């Protein structure tokens, strides 16, 4: 097997090239990965802007409302604009109804945990695959979400009673607590029909 490496605007992408595989397929896979990363970047930037404003105006309690109300809207808007299904998932979801992983996502999240335990930088962990399921063929892409220091106010081991009360009210089935900085908290999950 021959290995070919490409540098794409947002980072390094390595592609395995098998004899007889059409260059068009390789280019399509590279473009899909690039677009998925761009959509994640757009989602992150928009959500972070909303969260920074909320934190400035009302602190972490206000940020809980932004995550509950604005994050799904941002994902839905980007999904409608792009034709991709964009979301976040976790083995310990905060919003159980919206963010619980499907079987494919569960498998990939466990793989991500293994990769992080083996020393891989959670900021760089991604996985992509063409999947054929009941909905037909689709390109699926996931990127790990590590826990940053700023996340600990709502996702850490020591959450203030005020924030805990806001989380309990917004997310009665919340499982997304108890993390430390650097822990793998979940992943962005994108899907595009082929």
């Amino acid at each position: 097997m021959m290995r070919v490496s490409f540098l794409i605007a947002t980072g390094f992408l390595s592609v395995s090239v098998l004899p007889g595989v059409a260059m068009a397929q390789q280019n399509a896979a590279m473009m899909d990965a690039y677009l998925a990363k761009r959509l994640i970047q757009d989602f992150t930037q928009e959500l972070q802007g909303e969260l920074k404003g909320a934190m400035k105006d009302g602190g972490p309690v206000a940020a809980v409302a932004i995550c509950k109300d604005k994050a799904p809207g941002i994902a839905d808007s980007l999904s409608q604009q792009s034709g991709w299904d964009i979301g976040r998932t976790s083995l310990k979801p905060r919003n159980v109804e919206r963010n619980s992983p499907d079987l494919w996502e569960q498998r990939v999240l466990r793989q991500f945990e293994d990769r992080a335990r083996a020393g891989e930088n959670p900021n760089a962990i991604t996985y992509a695959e063409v999947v054929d399921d009941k909905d037909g063929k689709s390109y699926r892409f996931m990127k790990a979400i590590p826990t940053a220091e700023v996340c600990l106010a709502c996702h850490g081991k020591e959450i203030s009673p005020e924030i805990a009360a806001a989380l309990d009210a917004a997310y009665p089935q919340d499982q997304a607590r108890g993390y430390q900085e650097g822990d793998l908290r979940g992943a962005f999950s994108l899907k595009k029909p082929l």
Side-chain angles (χ1 to χ4, degrees):
M1 186 185 310
M2 177 175 65
R3 273 225 45 103
V4 179
S5 299
F6 302 100
L7 185 62
I8 296 186
T10 59
F12 184 78
L13 176 66
S14 180
V15 178
S16 295
V17 180
L18 298 173
V21 174
M23 190 58 102
Q25 290 175 325
Q26 295 168 27
N27 290 341
M30 287 174 36
M31 183 56 71
D32 284 339
Y34 172 76
L35 291 173
K37 289 178 183 179
R38 285 297 312 223
L39 289 166
I40 291 167
Q41 187 176 46
D42 291 347
F43 179 91
T44 302
Q45 286 176 345
E46 191 168 343
L47 181 57
Q48 284 178 347
E50 293 281 350
L51 287 171
K52 284 179 185 177
M55 291 287 287
K56 183 179 177 185
D57 294 340
V61 171
V64 170
I66 292 296
C67 283
K68 182 176 187 304
D69 300 330
K70 295 278 187 170
I74 294 168
D76 292 345
S77 176
L78 286 171
S79 294
Q80 289 174 357
Q81 293 170 21
S82 67
W84 291 66
D85 182 19
I86 302 166
R88 295 172 298 164
T89 191
S90 174
L91 294 172
K92 292 172 48 178
R94 173 148 285 163
N95 184 339
V96 173
E97 291 178 17
R98 185 172 175 106
N99 301 121
S100 291
D102 64 23
L103 292 175
W104 184 85
E105 291 167 328
Q106 289 175 34
R107 180 177 55 84
V108 174
L109 286 164
R110 287 188 188 96
Q111 179 193 99
F112 281 9
E113 287 180 342
D114 292 342
R115 291 168 63 183
R117 272 193 296 276
E120 193 170 341
N121 179 352
N123 285 310
I125 297 176
T126 63
Y127 182 78
E129 182 179 6
V130 173
V131 175
D132 196 1
D133 59 21
K134 63 180 176 54
D135 299 325
K137 277 194 175 188
S138 59
Y139 177 83
R140 298 200 67 178
F141 182 91
M142 286 179 65
K143 181 185 182 311
I145 301 173
T147 305
E149 183 181 356
V150 70
C151 305
L152 296 177
C154 296
H155 291 281
K157 291 184 177 189
E158 297 179 19
I159 298 173
S160 76
E162 182 182 47
I163 295 171
L167 289 169
D168 291 342
Y171 305 103
Q173 298 176 327
D174 179 25
Q175 301 169 35
R177 301 181 198 188
Y179 292 100
Q180 297 179 68
E181 185 176 358
D183 285 350
L184 182 67
R185 190 163 44 87
F188 292 99
S189 183
L190 289 79
K191 183 177 181 179
K192 181 186 86 164
L194 296 176

